[in-house]
């Protein structure tokens, strides 16, 4: 049986095809209220992703080691940003550009301020962050506990007959490099067509 995240990966693979011719008990799949956002629901909120420039590291990983992969990737990106004297302009995000049952391709990205000259070479790049209409879902707690949320997201899109885009984003409201894993706050964002 596929994990919920793998089901989402399969769902996204189908969406890509059509558009171009461990389950944790701590995750809540139900809408909840975030008092820091004036009562805004955290489940299925329609948002608009603004234009931003990001520094990113491209790579791939397996679902079994996804959390370690993303933490290491963000360390690499932040080391580059610090070395260049750049200033972050928002939360770090893992942009999943491809996925299947066993693994994923990604861009570990951090928005930056100001103009950028002398672009990096190799696996680190600079470019625009995803923009436009999207739906946001919030997870609080350990990374492994996100499976329930991904299952609920799949159901949400099915029930609302919404076609997601060809990638999805995990935006880290809390820094995974320094935040204890059980205190993580992650926004799962699906741009839509």
């Amino acid at each position: 049986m596929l994990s919920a995240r793998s089901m989402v990966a399969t769902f996204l693979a189908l969406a890509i095809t059509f558009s171009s011719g461990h389950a944790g008990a701590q995750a809540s799949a139900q809408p909840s209220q975030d008092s820091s956002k004036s009562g805004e629901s955290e489940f299925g909120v329609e948002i608009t992703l603004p234009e931003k420039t990001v520094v990113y590291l491209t790579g791939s990983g397996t679902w079994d080691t996804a959390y370690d992969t993303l933490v290491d990737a963000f360390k690499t990106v932040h080391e580059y940003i610090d070395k260049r004297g750049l200033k972050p302009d928002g939360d770090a995000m893992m942009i999943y550009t491809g996925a299947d049952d066993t693994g994923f391709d990604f861009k570990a990205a951090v928005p930056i301020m100001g103009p950028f000259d002398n672009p990096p070479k190799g696996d680190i790049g600079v470019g625009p962050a995803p923009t436009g209409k999207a739906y946001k879902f919030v997870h609080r707690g350990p990374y492994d506990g996100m499976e329930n949320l991904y299952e609920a997201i799949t159901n949400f899109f099915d029930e609302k007959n919404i076609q997601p885009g060809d990638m999805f984003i995990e935006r880290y409201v809390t820094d995974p490099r320094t935040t204890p894993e059980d205190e993580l706050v992650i926004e799962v964002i699906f741009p839509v067509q």
Side-chain angles (χ1 to χ4, degrees), residues 7-165:
M7 290 187 317
V8 170
T10 303
F11 184 62
L12 286 174
L14 289 171
I16 292 167
T17 301
F18 289 123
S19 67
S20 63
H22 350 267
Q26 295 185 26
S28 171
Q30 299 300 318
S32 61
Q33 297 299 318
D34 179 3
S35 60
S36 68
K37 294 184 180 180
S38 303
E40 175 183 293
S41 174
E42 295 181 304
F43 188 86
V45 177
E46 187 177 321
I47 63 171
T48 301
L49 295 170
E51 292 184 13
K52 289 197 178 242
T53 298
V54 294
V55 171
Y56 61 87
L57 172 71
T58 57
S60 61
T62 64
W63 294 121
D64 292 339
T65 60
Y67 187 71
D68 293 334
T69 299
L70 73 90
V71 170
D72 289 343
F74 288 137
K75 285 179 182 176
T76 300
V77 173
H78 277 282
E79 285 171 8
Y80 178 83
I81 288 171
D82 293 344
K83 185 190 248 186
R84 292 288 307 267
L86 301 170
K87 296 191 185 229
D89 184 27
D91 299 322
M93 62 185 100
M94 186 67 88
I95 304 167
Y96 292 90
T97 57
D100 62 24
D101 291 346
T102 59
F104 56 93
D105 298 321
F106 67 86
K107 289 182 179 179
V110 176
I112 56 168
M113 288 185 194
F116 192 90
D117 58 355
N118 191 20
K121 295 174 177 58
D123 290 337
I124 293 187
V126 175
T131 60
K133 181 179 173 182
Y135 285 88
K136 177 179 79 171
F137 308 84
V138 178
H139 169 77
R140 295 175 187 278
Y143 192 78
D144 286 349
M146 294 180 67
E147 299 299 333
N148 292 337
L149 179 64
Y150 276 100
E151 185 174 350
I153 291 168
T154 301
N155 293 337
F156 174 86
F157 285 130
D158 285 347
E159 289 170 11
K160 302 240 183 235
N161 199 24
I162 297 171
Q163 182 72 25

Side-chain angles (χ1 to χ4, degrees), residues 175-190:
D175 188 338
R177 298 172 304 149
T178 58
T179 304
E181 193 176 345
D182 61 343
E183 296 176 17
L184 289 172
V185 178
I186 304 168
E187 296 175 343
V188 179
I189 300 169
F190 280 83

